[in-house]
Amino acid sequence: MAKITTFDDWADYFRQWQRDIGSIQRKSGDYKFDVKFGAVPSDTIEFGDYAGRPNWETVLQIPDQRVRDSLLHLIHVSRRHGVCIGRTAAEPVKRAPSQYDLQSAVKIMREEMRHGTQMSYLLVKYFGSSGKLKRRNCWTPRIRQ
């Protein structure tokens, strides 16, 4: 596996993985796996033990290591789920019995891969070497035959 030090490195690896599994690139047209997040509705944390405090801009601002570890784990599991669903949907895309089934499988695969892309971005950008290690250690780039 190539060394991943930036999100762009990860994106290049992701595109190669899509080609390796015979992904939806041909079927999804000009869809781009861009990282997009909505606006944050408040400048303060809205609930829990930290309610009313300013939002954390960096991982180092999170005052409790257990919270940092939990966030890292949740993002890792969420990203892994997106990639697994995308990988699992590759076979139905190849064997879709109808155009409707093909479109449905492509939509699911595309959206789950988009979600995996966003979670990988968070791991690489905000969690430093820990995030890169989590991202790298759980990647399975090929479907087992």
Side-chain angles (χ1 to χ4, degrees):
M1 171 188 250
K3 184 173 181 177
I4 296 173
T5 56
T6 67
F7 181 71
D8 289 337
D9 293 341
W10 180 88
D12 290 342
Y13 192 76
F14 176 68
R15 284 188 286 278
Q16 180 59 50
W17 174 76
Q18 287 178 310
R19 287 189 291 275
D20 289 350
I21 67 167
S23 178
I24 58 167
Q25 287 177 319
R26 297 176 307 278
K27 296 173 179 69
S28 61
D30 61 354
Y31 188 88
K32 296 193 185 323
F33 291 92
D34 294 333
V35 177
K36 298 177 184 178
F37 298 102
V40 178
S42 173
D43 291 336
T44 60
I45 297 169
E46 296 181 7
F47 59 89
D49 293 341
Y50 302 102
R53 294 186 186 177
N55 288 343
W56 303 315
E57 297 293 324
T58 69
V59 173
L60 294 177
Q61 291 177 340
I62 300 171
D64 187 332
Q65 183 64 45
R66 293 170 299 175
V67 175
R68 282 184 229 147
D69 293 343
S70 293
L71 284 172
L72 178 61
H73 179 72
L74 288 170
I75 293 168
H76 163 69
V77 169
S78 182
R79 186 213 63 83
R80 181 72 174 138
H81 175 76
V83 171
C84 286
I85 295 293
R87 184 175 57 240
T88 303
E91 276 307 305
V93 166
K94 291 177 187 174
R95 298 180 184 357
S98 70
Q99 187 63 28
Y100 176 80
D101 292 327
L102 175 62
Q103 289 171 340
S104 296
V106 166
K107 181 179 179 185
I108 291 166
M109 188 175 183
R110 185 177 58 211
E111 287 304 312
E112 291 298 337
M113 286 182 167
R114 180 200 54 80
H115 178 73
T117 298
Q118 288 183 249
M119 296 301 103
S120 291
Y121 172 83
L122 293 175
L123 287 173
V124 171
K125 177 151 174 81
Y126 291 104
F127 287 91
S129 59
S130 296
K132 291 172 190 170
L133 184 63
K134 279 275 194 193
R135 208 255 7 103
R136 185 180 74 232
N137 284 345
C138 66
W139 190 268
T140 306
R142 301 193 193 290
I143 294 175
R144 294 186 180 155
Q145 301 296 335

